Amino acid sequence: MGWLGPEEWQAVLLSLRVSLVATLVALPLGLAVAWALARGRFRGHALLSALVHTPLVLPPVVTGYLLLLAFNPSAPLGAMMESLGLPLAFRWTGAALAAAVMAFPLMVRPIRLAFENVDPALEETAGTLGASRLRVFLTVTLPLSRTGIIAGVVLAFAKAMGEFGATITFVANIPGETRTVPSAIYAFLQVPGGDAAAWRLVLVALVLSLGAVVVSELLTRRAAR
Amino acid sequence: MSGVLDIAIGHRFGPDGPALDVAFTAPPGVTALFGRSGAGKTSIVRAVAGLLKPDVARIVVGERVLCDSTKGLWVPVHRRRTGYVFQEPRLFPHRDVLGNILYGAPGRSLSQDDEAIVDMLGLRDLLRRNPATLSGGEAQRVAIARALVSRPDMLLMDEPLASLDSTRKAQILPYLERLRAEARVPILYVSHDISEVARLADTLVVLDRGTSMAAGPAVDLLADPALARHIGALNTGAVLSARLSRADAGDGLSEIDLNGVRMLVPQVAARPGAALRLRIPATDVMLAATRPEGLSALNVLPVRIVAVEDGRGPGVMVQLELADTTEGPVRLLSRITRRSARALDIRAGASAFAILKTVSVAPAAIGGAVLTPSGAPLSADGTVP
């Protein structure tokens, strides 16, 4: 990809890293929440569902601002993360957190649907064959939900690649640290003569997003068969 | 490994829902839970498996207490070692047949015992198949093998044949008969099909609206005229143990021996001496006060009337005992109209003649785990016309 300049290349690599980390961090929690929403019967079920979906409807800038309030170095949570050696504000790790929060609802939804589609009778049967609840989950529920899980991961990754509003509010737009592809496009459009670089990144973003949606669509169709 | 299954359950489904209140003992062998739908059969099996938590219950298999509500003891489903065969096969679609069979035996491959199970159920050629490609009967056989390979302390079979058509049923029944002969654990078998029960059950528990009306040896209960009301007059019939005395008695008939009394039935493909189970529906037995002459029926047997049970409707159920037996008693049931009973003066203690049309022994009614000396299965009903 010799046609990308070093700054553009840096933004692409950073976006990939941020999105990958965001997806991997969100996945275990996403599985747990999807499971709770699909099979759990507990107080606060509706509240949890609403909370998970909030980032979908909240203005991204609000989400970013709330993250900044919680994780700036002088806030208790931010200070704690700092002392753990994982500062978030104005760091790429913060960009990953913002991307994870924004991508979370998109990840949970297909996984939850996949869990709901697993026949409880099969889980029950596995139990009578001596499988503990954990083993039932690992050997019956998870494998039977795999297409939904992959779809959720792909969607979350694509969303993370495109995240802009919450990211720029929470971690600003620092080249090499927090300047992801969308932030870079925004930055290039602010300077005279940056259009060409912006266009190249737009192309990259288009290819990645379209690819993710196509993959997700193919997996969903395979699951429906 | 083998043990007696002791069951006492009290449960109410919701404040105004139906109640379940049963207590019975299932000795080794097949214990059939028989009753109409809604009688509580499945709930009992689910409680034994730990899938339903009754309000009060004490369930013990051999020495192991599975639940005791007075002590707050509850063994979770996966530690109960129950082999549960459901109405539907419930095979795991993401595993092949072998993967399904080995699910309850994690970390091991087929042992010698397992190989025997695979062969007994005729699954040798199906091991690498995807469950979706199996027929209903094949899938249910895989489900039975899967339950057996998990090495259960008991086998729970909840109408395992209900989802199959009669052809497939007939194909799978011989496998269940072999299982009955070879399994060393108690088997709880839920059914609402009396011919299945008659063919398989050693012990019978008759359920009606959540309570057990009777429990005991199947041969005795099925011949009990007092139970006809719960079993249904058309379902009532004696189940008899017989031996094949002559396989070829001419004209496509076989002669069987009922404790010394000889009877002709359609030809049975088994060796002389083989044990047979025979069901004779009460509606297929006629009575005569004197020995009838010039009758087309081949089996006319002198009997003694044991009891006459008046039922609802026009019929009465008559319990008979064969008069010429040399060993233990053999009891039959006959359903006749109340008017005939009065006309013939049928009452306890009287002598009469039972008339059984040979053809009244239907193919499915002849059964029994019949094993040839080589150990190969031989279906007793295989060649009945």
Side-chain angles (χ1 to χ4, degrees):
Chain A
M1 275 182 147
W3 54 277
L4 282 179
E7 258 184 283
E8 298 147 52
W9 194 229
Q10 191 183 47
V12 170
L13 285 180
L14 179 68
S15 260
L16 288 172
R17 176 162 49 145
V18 162
S19 305
L20 196 67
V21 168
T23 309
L24 289 180
V25 166
L27 184 57
L29 190 64
L31 287 171
V33 169
W35 172 256
L37 290 177
R39 287 287 146 85
R41 260 178 247 112
F42 53 93
R43 279 166 166 275
H45 187 278
L47 189 71
L48 179 64
S49 182
L51 205 66
V52 166
H53 288 103
T54 305
L56 268 187
V57 288
L58 212 60
V61 64
V62 173
T63 307
Y65 184 59
L66 291 174
L67 284 172
L68 186 60
L69 285 182
F71 289 102
N72 78 73
S74 50
L77 255 179
M80 193 185 83
M81 294 305 286
E82 198 118 335
S83 66
L84 287 173
L86 194 68
L88 294 169
F90 307 110
R91 301 297 179 92
W92 76 269
T93 45
L97 177 64
V101 169
M102 295 302 289
F104 199 64
L106 289 174
M107 172 184 274
V108 167
R109 193 163 182 77
I111 298 178
R112 173 189 179 174
L113 287 175
F115 283 163
E116 281 171 353
N117 276 330
V118 174
D119 186 356
L122 290 178
E123 297 167 333
E124 190 179 86
T125 307
T128 66
L129 289 164
S132 64
R133 289 184 72 164
L134 180 66
R135 181 162 179 253
V136 172
F137 181 74
L138 293 177
T139 60
V140 176
T141 318
L142 268 194
L144 287 178
S145 316
R146 64 189 183 283
T147 43
I149 294 169
I150 295 171
V153 165
V154 170
L155 267 179
F157 184 80
K159 172 71 186 169
M161 286 293 290
E163 217 301 303
F164 174 66
T167 308
I168 205 162
T169 315
F170 182 28
V171 294
N173 192 348
I174 305 160
E177 185 67 38
T178 62
R179 180 167 289 178
T180 57
V181 169
S183 303
I185 294 171
Y186 178 75
F188 282 129
L189 289 177
Q190 302 304 305
V191 293
D195 294 30
W199 262 110
R200 285 193 289 273
L201 287 178
V202 164
L203 214 62
V204 170
L206 263 174
V207 168
L208 286 174
S209 310
L210 270 176
V213 172
V214 167
V215 168
S216 166
E217 187 68 20
L218 286 176
L219 288 171
T220 317
R221 282 203 195 159
R222 218 181 78 185
R225 265 215 305 269
Chain B
M1 183 167 171
S2 109
V4 173
L5 185 56
D6 248 313
I7 297 170
I9 298 169
H11 187 67
R12 187 168 272 283
F13 299 88
D16 302 309
L20 181 64
D21 184 12
V22 292
F24 61 89
T25 298
V30 177
T31 299
L33 304 181
F34 176 79
R36 300 184 185 92
S37 59
K41 312 182 292 283
T42 297
S43 299
I44 293 171
V45 175
R46 288 181 70 82
V48 173
L51 295 171
L52 166 79
K53 193 166 188 173
D55 300 335
V56 286
R58 188 178 147 81
I59 298 169
V60 183
V61 58
E63 306 284 293
R64 282 176 71 218
V65 181
L66 297 183
C67 85
D68 187 339
S69 50
T70 57
K71 293 189 186 124
L73 194 109
W74 177 262
V75 177
V77 184
H78 65 278
R79 298 225 182 86
R80 292 205 173 190
R81 298 206 296 271
T82 58
Y84 202 140
V85 180
F86 298 87
Q87 266 187 45
E88 333 76 54
R90 295 194 180 184
L91 300 184
F92 301 121
H94 57 299
R95 289 170 165 246
D96 63 9
V97 167
L98 182 63
N100 267 280
I101 290 177
L102 284 173
Y103 186 86
R108 72 176 163 90
S109 51
L110 288 179
S111 70
Q112 223 172 343
D113 285 355
D114 301 336
E115 299 275 0
I117 292 167
V118 165
D119 287 331
M120 178 182 79
L121 291 164
L123 300 174
R124 179 64 53 194
D125 298 332
L126 305 178
L127 291 177
R128 284 293 159 208
R129 292 266 292 275
N130 181 319
T133 68
L134 300 176
S135 73
E138 288 168 340
Q140 198 58 292
R141 265 149 53 201
V142 174
I144 295 169
R146 180 176 63 177
L148 290 173
V149 168
S150 72
R151 294 185 181 157
D153 283 354
M154 75 197 103
L155 212 48
L156 307 173
M157 307 188 98
D158 188 357
E159 308 215 28
L161 305 183
S163 59
L164 305 176
D165 58 47
S166 53
T167 316
R168 301 233 178 281
K169 244 182 226 187
Q171 282 168 359
I172 212 168
L173 263 166
Y175 292 109
L176 293 182
E177 282 166 351
R178 285 201 75 184
L179 184 62
R180 168 169 157 262
E182 292 174 16
R184 294 178 294 265
V185 296
I187 301 174
L188 272 192
Y189 190 97
V190 169
S191 180
H192 63 251
D193 180 343
I194 198 74
S195 66
E196 246 173 78
V197 171
R199 210 165 146 171
L200 295 172
D202 301 301
T203 307
L204 177 61
V205 178
V206 180
L207 295 160
D208 197 1
R209 270 170 254 137
T211 53
S212 49
M213 307 308 298
V219 173
D220 296 351
L221 289 192
L222 288 170
D224 184 346
L227 275 178
R229 195 147 38 96
H230 300 290
I231 295 177
L234 295 178
N235 284 332
T236 307
V239 174
L240 307 174
S241 301
R243 296 214 159 264
L244 189 62
S245 45
R246 273 196 296 160
D248 184 7
D251 296 327
L253 298 170
S254 292
E255 188 189 67
I256 60 168
D257 177 297
L258 286 158
N259 293 1
V261 175
R262 301 291 161 105
M263 207 173 121
L264 291 170
V265 298
Q267 194 150 28
V268 176
R271 285 159 202 257
L276 298 172
R277 255 163 103 94
L278 201 72
R279 195 175 102 80
I280 303 177
T283 45
D284 285 0
V285 179
M286 287 192 288
L287 288 179
T290 55
R291 181 180 280 278
E293 301 283 327
L295 202 67
S296 72
L298 285 170
N299 294 304
V300 178
L301 307 168
V303 294
R304 207 167 31 250
I305 312 281
V306 178
V308 181
E309 194 77 26
D310 221 338
R312 285 169 296 203
V316 294
M317 196 60 75
V318 186
Q319 190 178 33
L320 320 161
E321 201 169 278
L322 295 188
D324 300 335
T325 48
T326 50
E327 298 162 58
V330 175
R331 290 187 166 177
L332 292 178
L333 284 177
S334 170
R335 185 179 145 85
I336 57 175
T337 59
R338 190 176 294 120
R339 181 169 298 180
S340 305
R342 212 180 309 121
L344 295 173
D345 193 21
I346 299 284
R347 61 194 149 68
S351 291
F353 291 87
I355 300 147
L356 285 78
K357 280 180 77 178
T358 315
V359 289
S360 74
V361 183
I366 305 180
V370 184
L371 293 177
T372 58
S374 68
L378 191 64
S379 156
D381 56 296
T383 57
V384 171

